Amino acid sequence: MGQLKAGVRLRSAACATEVMVVASPDGAVDLQCGGVPMLDAKAEASAGGSPSPQAAEGSILGKRYVSESGDLELLCIKPGDGSLAIGETLLKTKDAKALPSSD
Amino acid sequence: MNLMMLLEMAASGTPDRVAVQNGADTLTYDELFQAAGRAASEVQASGCERFAMLDVSSLALPVGLFGSAWAGVPFAPLNYRLTGEEIEGLASQIAPAYLVTEDARVEALSQLPRTQVVSREAFLARAGTADAADPSWPMDPDDIAVLLFTSGTTGAPKAAVLRHKHLVSYILGSVEFGSASEEDAALVSVPPYHVAGIAALASSVYSGRRIVQLSNFEAEAWVELARSERVTHAFVVPTMLTRIIDVLDGSGDAKLPHLRALSYGGGKMPQQVIEKAMRLFPETDFTNAYGLTETSSTIAILNPEDHRSAASSEDPAVRRRLTSVGRPLPSLEVEIRDDAGHALAPGERGEIHVRGEQVSGEYLGRGTTVDGDGWFPTRDAGSIDDDGYLFLEGRADDVIVRGGENLSPGEIEDVLLEHTAVADSAVVGIPDEQWGEGVAAVVVLRAGRSASVEELQDWVRGRLRSSRTPQRIEFCDELPYNETGKLLRRQIRAQLASGEPG
């Protein structure tokens, strides 16, 4: 996927998953979903792939996904069957901070 | 990054849930999403570069806000209480604009140059039937989402610029997606041109909560709606809470059984009012939210647990926290600085500075007030205690400089309010030959109570250093507030200067 930019929308090439980049590290990131590299949301749709069995745990609408080091953070804006990962390392969901409603 | 993304997620998560309700009219999340898309087509076809709304809250508000985001044009809600001339001034700053307003105003506003005026009804009808929009919106985080004219209690109104990155960061940093249950309902009674009105919409949508609109705040109507619509969450400005309590206190039934969370902000909350509210609604969670237009709303909160521990504490330092605005959101940094820009230690008073992704600090056509390191000077004065609680002490511009000593009006007002005969008070600086500035107070007495100038001066002298004793005290029936509860000190100063009692 190369360098990621906060605010950019990406989609999976293997399932319905779409994410927005919330935070990203400097430098290239091998961001994958369903075992294949993610695409820019505006990229031409490829012939419907399916997630590889090693990366098919699915993504959940509204969940934040973070890398081990915490410098990559994604927000799932459309759920799908593939798992989000950097290379073969799956991203983890981030626990929500409980804040009281202020407005 | 775009506000529309928040609605897209809610519409796919809970399409059939009611998103917004005004009287008998409702829109589900899916209907709101579709309407926003059609509104976007309308705006794009008009060729206008901004979407303005001069109207009370209605279903057209969320359709307009999200429709603007979809179309990639800034949304600019205007204050409908302004005079024709003032409105003309604002309109000229945002033209060419697509302007939605109430039917009765369409003809008069159609005279505005480079402004396409549409009635609320016509706008909603088109958003209900026009062709669907291109199902994509710009994702540039730097696009302008909202232009909010600041209330202008000092100087001419200017438009604060909130970009998509500011508002989306605020929501992602403070709200959990889809966290509302089917029963949750938020009563929104602040006007659309107040940042809290915009923030309430965006947070409710992202949490999947039903929004119940009250177009014109009136305490009886608020209470009735809170009961009939089983409202679970609400935000009020301090003057609203004062009136709600007055209504409930005078009635036989003071209960609001469904209200789980009541947040407040937008002005200084008198301690007696919040204490009374907590006694009336012991089951309700209270949150004090402090924020500014320029910071996409809330930057610090005094949470429900803080309220309860402060109210029940014997320790004066803990009890005092009830008058604080709590601690900064975890996604932000707050610093108190002196006039030279140096960070101050706990307990020291200075100007509040804030840094974080939700902070804009930019005004249309005037550039940014944020420094090179990302810090925004709020012009609010305050201090932070040893445990990180932030105390506001008025606007930095309201500080009274008497003989080189900085005096905070809020501190003196609080002491006056502790007097049983005092219902409300405002302290301002007045010119003084000997000290440069002197302390003057305008006091509203409680009905049927009396207190002399000397008695009130003695009262303050007995509790604060003598430099803080008002040298002049005037009485009046009511202090001047704007419609969102901000005390108009400029007006009080002018009245004192002209010799009239406040």
Side-chain angles (χ1 to χ4, degrees):
Chain A
M1 192 65 224
Q3 170 83 50
L4 297 175
K5 234 178 99 187
V8 163
R9 184 172 180 146
L10 306 171
R11 67 177 181 83
S12 171
C15 69
T17 299
E18 290 192 27
V19 298
M20 186 195 76
V21 179
V22 176
S24 69
D26 291 332
V29 178
D30 181 19
L31 181 61
Q32 302 198 356
C33 182
V36 289
M38 292 196 83
L39 309 168
D40 187 277
K42 291 190 206 89
E44 283 297 308
S46 51
S50 59
S52 76
Q54 294 79 34
E57 287 175 21
S59 60
I60 303 167
L61 178 66
K63 279 280 180 204
R64 311 276 197 102
Y65 289 85
V66 289
S67 60
E68 203 87 41
S69 57
D71 53 6
L72 174 72
E73 181 170 338
L74 309 173
L75 172 69
C76 175
I77 50 184
K78 270 189 188 169
D81 297 331
S83 307
L84 293 159
I86 296 180
E88 287 176 2
T89 313
L90 298 191
L91 300 183
K92 292 192 170 67
T93 59
K94 184 179 164 185
D95 287 330
K97 302 177 281 253
L99 281 179
S101 169
S102 65
D103 43 37
Chain B
M1 193 177 283
N2 185 302
L3 272 185
M4 255 316 292
M5 190 187 79
L6 309 180
L7 175 57
E8 177 194 19
M9 291 169 70
S12 87
T14 51
D16 301 324
R17 194 180 277 190
V18 171
V20 56
Q21 167 182 351
N22 192 307
D25 301 327
T26 61
L27 286 174
T28 64
Y29 276 101
D30 184 55
E31 287 167 341
L32 175 56
F33 181 83
Q34 304 295 340
R38 296 193 197 99
S41 302
E42 271 288 304
V43 177
Q44 279 165 339
S46 78
C48 292
E49 289 166 23
R50 275 139 192 170
F51 185 114
M53 186 169 280
L54 182 79
D55 199 6
V56 296
S57 290
S58 75
L59 299 190
L61 172 61
V63 174
L65 174 67
F66 289 105
S68 303
W70 191 321
V73 301
F75 178 74
L78 307 180
N79 184 343
Y80 46 79
R81 293 173 197 266
L82 298 178
T83 64
E85 202 176 320
E86 289 169 322
I87 289 167
E88 215 173 297
L90 303 192
S92 72
Q93 290 192 47
I94 54 169
Y98 184 94
L99 172 64
V100 173
T101 190
E102 58 182 322
D103 203 33
R105 288 191 193 246
V106 170
E107 206 182 312
L109 292 171
S110 295
Q111 311 301 318
L112 291 170
R114 299 193 301 147
T115 304
Q116 191 169 321
V117 183
V118 183
S119 76
R120 178 206 308 158
E121 289 75 16
F123 170 69
L124 281 173
R126 288 178 208 175
T129 54
D131 292 335
D134 174 354
S136 70
W137 42 83
M139 281 294 274
D140 187 343
D142 287 317
D143 281 350
I144 298 176
V146 177
L147 294 170
L148 282 174
F149 286 92
T150 57
S151 54
T153 51
T154 56
K158 46 190 177 179
V161 173
L162 296 178
R163 298 178 186 275
H164 285 278
K165 61 181 179 187
H166 300 128
L167 286 163
V168 172
S169 298
Y170 168 63
I171 297 302
L172 297 187
S174 64
V175 184
E176 182 61 13
F177 175 74
S179 51
S181 74
E182 189 82 46
E183 292 74 37
D184 284 8
L187 178 48
V188 179
S189 52
V190 283
Y193 55 82
H194 192 288
V195 68
I198 301 296
L201 260 179
S203 324
S204 291
V205 162
Y206 196 61
S207 67
R209 190 178 291 142
R210 173 169 58 109
I211 298 157
V212 178
Q213 294 177 326
L214 176 59
S215 303
N216 285 299
F217 177 80
E218 205 242 323
E220 284 87 0
W222 190 95
V223 168
E224 205 176 294
L225 210 49
R227 287 176 179 157
S228 65
E229 288 304 325
R230 299 171 170 261
V231 164
T232 56
H233 294 68
F235 173 89
V236 289
V237 299
T239 46
M240 291 178 181
L241 187 58
T242 306
R243 287 186 221 157
I244 290 164
I245 287 177
D246 284 346
V247 164
L248 289 174
D249 222 17
S251 72
D253 177 15
K255 295 275 180 290
L256 293 173
H258 308 285
L259 189 67
R260 292 206 311 270
L262 185 63
S263 54
Y264 59 92
K268 191 176 168 62
M269 175 68 81
Q271 192 170 350
Q272 306 95 305
V273 175
I274 185 61
E275 284 177 343
K276 196 163 184 182
M278 290 176 71
R279 279 197 302 274
L280 274 176
F281 319 124
E283 309 295 324
T284 299
D285 283 345
F286 286 88
T287 299
N288 184 357
Y290 162 62
L292 297 95
T293 304
E294 296 88 339
T295 59
S296 312
S297 180
T298 308
I299 57 174
I301 50 175
L302 186 74
N303 69 33
E305 203 183 298
D306 293 328
H307 275 80
R308 294 200 173 96
S309 59
S312 63
S313 176
E314 300 291 326
D315 180 349
V318 176
R319 201 170 167 87
R320 193 172 94 91
R321 283 184 197 149
L322 210 46
T323 63
S324 81
V325 294
R327 289 189 271 208
L329 297 184
S331 50
L332 286 167
E333 296 166 273
V334 170
E335 236 175 52
I336 308 294
R337 296 185 180 179
D338 66 14
D339 290 344
H342 300 119
L344 293 170
E348 291 187 307
R349 183 179 179 290
E351 185 180 352
I352 300 169
H353 284 63
V354 58
R355 176 163 76 174
E357 290 184 347
Q358 71 184 67
V359 176
S360 155
E362 180 192 351
Y363 303 97
L364 191 64
R366 299 174 186 229
T368 182
T369 55
V370 168
D371 73 15
D373 295 323
W375 290 96
F376 168 61
T378 62
R379 303 304 295 147
D380 278 340
S383 62
I384 297 180
D385 76 6
D386 289 327
D387 294 303
Y389 288 84
L390 177 62
F391 290 81
L392 298 187
E393 298 178 31
R395 294 293 283 171
D397 311 299
D398 295 331
V399 167
I400 302 166
V401 186
R402 182 183 184 275
E405 188 183 6
N406 286 353
L407 310 180
S408 156
E411 183 188 28
I412 305 166
E413 287 161 5
D414 285 348
V415 167
L416 284 167
L417 281 170
E418 286 165 18
H419 192 284
T420 53
V422 175
D424 204 358
S425 77
V427 168
V428 296
I430 50 170
D432 182 278
E433 282 187 19
Q434 188 183 355
W435 299 101
E437 252 188 322
V439 178
V442 179
V443 167
V444 181
L445 292 174
R446 287 188 190 283
R449 301 297 301 266
S450 67
S452 67
V453 170
E454 293 70 32
E455 183 183 346
L456 293 176
Q457 285 173 328
D458 286 345
W459 176 266
V460 176
R461 198 175 291 119
R463 285 161 182 78
L464 295 173
R465 288 172 60 183
S466 62
S467 57
R468 285 146 173 84
T469 304
Q471 62 195 60
R472 179 174 168 195
I473 297 182
E474 300 283 350
F475 296 97
C476 70
D477 296 334
E478 206 176 15
L479 294 176
Y481 288 96
N482 77 3
E483 68 285 352
T484 50
K486 277 206 176 73
L487 181 63
L488 301 172
R489 289 179 195 274
R490 195 173 42 156
Q491 199 168 317
I492 295 171
R493 276 192 286 265
Q495 282 167 339
L496 284 170
S498 70
E500 291 169 40

